[in-house]
Amino acid sequence: MNVIAPKPATPLATALRRNIVRHTDKVFDWDAFPSNRGYPDLARAQMRYVGAGGSPKVGEAGTLAPEHFTVSLIHKPVGNYAACHAHEIEESFLVIEGVLTVGWEQEGEVVEVRLGPKDMILNARDIGHGFRNDGVVPVLMSISVDVGKPLPPRYLYHPKTGTDPALARAFGAAPGKTLPLDPEGTHPLQQIMAQKVIRHTEATPIREEAGFTRRVYVGPGGVASETCRKEMWEVPAGAGVQPFARDVEDAFMVLEGSLTVGWEEDGQQVQAVLGPRDLLLTPAGRRHWFRNDGAGPCTVWAVIGDSGAETVRYARA
C-alpha cells in the first residue's frame, strides 16, 4: 500500500503553531503562589498562557513570553479568597464562570462588588484589593497584568504576617467597615471603583462593517487606561476579516465556540482553529486574520498591547 507522507510544515506554519496555547495541553498549577502555602482558604490554581501573571514561575515551558501584558486563568474554589494586596501596575479580572466578590481597601475600610460571567474590573495601581468566592460553584476567571514582568505583589492583610484570618477574609475591613459598590456613593473608593467596573450587559456594542461586534472593556469607550486595551468580540458564524497588522502584539482567547485564525506573509497564508480557552498571541507587525467557520457564534477575549483607540479598519473577508 502506498502511503503519502505529509508535507513538512512551512516556517510560517511552525511559527503560528508555536504562538498558540491549547487549553488541553495545559494543567492548573495549585502552587503558583508560594505565599499561600499552608493556608487552605487561600488555595487557588493558575494556568499560565502569556507570562507568569504575578507568579514567580517565569519562563515556564509551554507559556508564551510576555511583552506588554500577561494572560492567565485562575480557578477559585467555593469559599476561598485571595488576600488583600497591591500592584505597581493595573490588572484586570474577567469572570468566565461563577460569581466573584472583589474588595478594595483603604485605611481599614473596604468597598466590595460582585461580578458575574463576562463582567470585568480593572484593579487600579497601588490600591489594596482581594477577591473571594462567596458562591456555590467554583469561579473561573482570566487575569491580565498590564506589564510583561510585574513586581511581586505587596500583601497588606495576609495570615502569614499575623493578620487575623477573619480580617484577612474581609480584605482588612473590621465589622461594619464594608460598603457595597454604589456609583452614587460618596466614599472615595466607591467613586474610583465605579469607573473601573464593566458589566457585559452595559458595555456598548460596536458593530463592525466586517460583520462582528466589539465591546470595549478597557480603552477609549470603556475603562480608561494608559497600558492595554481589552475587548469582548462576538463573531457570528460565517463572519471573518481580511489580514491586518498592528504596531503591538495582541492575544485572542476563545471563550465560547471556535475561531479559525491565520497569519499571512509574502502572499502565503497558514491557519489553525482555536477552541474554548485556546489562545493565539500575534506579535507586532504580523499580518493576521480570523473567521468563524463554526455552526454557531464565537466569543473572543482580545487583549491589545496599547491603550489607544482602534486604528485597524476591519474589512470583510
Side-chain angles (χ1 to χ4, degrees), residues 178-311:
T178 298
L179 297 171
L181 173 61
D182 180 358
E184 305 300 325
T186 58
H187 194 285
L189 281 183
Q190 288 178 318
Q191 297 174 354
I192 298 172
M193 182 184 276
Q195 301 174 18
K196 301 292 186 177
V197 171
I198 285 285
R199 304 285 188 186
H200 177 73
T201 55
E202 298 172 0
T204 302
I206 301 171
R207 305 189 187 282
E208 293 285 345
E209 293 182 1
F212 72 103
T213 299
R214 298 187 298 120
R215 297 174 191 263
V216 179
Y217 277 49
V218 180
V223 175
S225 172
E226 297 178 355
T227 52
C228 298
R229 192 167 78 254
K230 299 168 187 178
E231 301 182 353
M232 188 78 72
W233 293 357
E234 289 139 5
V235 186
V241 303
Q242 296 179 22
F244 64 93
R246 301 185 190 278
D247 294 333
V248 295
E249 82 280 24
D250 63 30
F252 301 162
M253 174 178 277
V254 172
L255 301 183
E256 300 163 348
S258 64
L259 189 72
T260 300
V261 293
W263 285 3
E264 180 183 84
E265 182 178 78
D266 298 329
Q268 177 195 7
Q269 287 195 353
V270 295
Q271 66 182 49
V273 178
L274 305 181
R277 298 169 200 165
D278 292 344
L279 175 144
L280 168 65
L281 179 67
T282 298
R286 171 69 71 190
R287 288 177 60 79
H288 55 303
W289 51 269
F290 61 86
R291 183 178 66 245
N292 182 355
D293 293 327
C298 177
T299 303
V300 179
W301 180 237
V303 184
I304 297 99
D306 68 38
S307 60
E310 181 62 276
T311 58

Side-chain angles (χ1 to χ4, degrees), residues 162-182:
T163 300
D164 178 83
L167 186 65
R169 176 176 288 275
F171 312 128
K177 294 294 185 177
T178 298
L179 297 171
L181 173 61
D182 180 358

Side-chain angles (χ1 to χ4, degrees), residues 21-245:
V21 180
R22 298 288 184 188
H23 179 67
T24 52
D25 290 339
K26 304 287 286 184
V27 294
F28 277 104
D29 179 5
W30 286 93
D31 192 39
F33 305 97
S35 60
N36 294 336
R37 292 171 182 165
Y39 300 97
D41 287 353
L42 293 175
R44 66 183 184 272
Q46 183 194 42
M47 181 178 287
R48 294 174 285 276
Y49 285 74
V50 181
S55 169
K57 297 184 177 181
V58 300
E60 175 189 52
T63 297
L64 300 174
E67 186 174 355
H68 291 101
F69 56 78
T70 72
V71 180
S72 62
L73 292 181
I74 293 290
H75 169 93
K76 196 69 172 175
V78 173
N80 285 18
Y81 72 98
C84 186
H85 60 283
H87 297 284
E88 86 286 3
I89 195 66
E90 297 170 319
E91 66 171 350
S92 62
F93 298 164
L94 172 75
V95 176
I96 299 173
E97 297 175 358
V99 176
L100 184 73
T101 299
V102 179
W104 284 12
E105 185 271 346
Q106 184 179 68
E107 298 180 353
E109 295 183 306
V110 170
V111 174
E112 291 186 351
V113 62
R114 289 167 63 83
L115 305 175
K118 298 182 182 178
D119 293 342
M120 191 215 74
I121 185 169
L122 184 69
N123 293 294
R125 303 168 188 251
D126 297 315
I127 289 183
H129 58 280
F131 56 90
R132 189 175 61 239
N133 184 355
D134 295 331
V136 297
V137 298
V139 165
L140 180 67
M141 58 195 286
S142 175
I143 294 183
S144 292
V145 181
D146 292 348
V147 66
K149 297 180 180 179
L151 298 175
R154 305 190 311 278
Y155 284 103
L156 307 178
Y157 298 92
H158 195 294
K160 71 175 183 178
T161 63
T163 300
D164 178 83
L167 186 65
R169 176 176 288 275
F171 312 128
K177 294 294 185 177
T178 298
L179 297 171
L181 173 61
D182 180 358
E184 305 300 325
T186 58
H187 194 285
L189 281 183
Q190 288 178 318
Q191 297 174 354
I192 298 172
M193 182 184 276
Q195 301 174 18
K196 301 292 186 177
V197 171
I198 285 285
R199 304 285 188 186
H200 177 73
T201 55
E202 298 172 0
T204 302
I206 301 171
R207 305 189 187 282
E208 293 285 345
E209 293 182 1
F212 72 103
T213 299
R214 298 187 298 120
R215 297 174 191 263
V216 179
Y217 277 49
V218 180
V223 175
S225 172
E226 297 178 355
T227 52
C228 298
R229 192 167 78 254
K230 299 168 187 178
E231 301 182 353
M232 188 78 72
W233 293 357
E234 289 139 5
V235 186
V241 303
Q242 296 179 22
F244 64 93

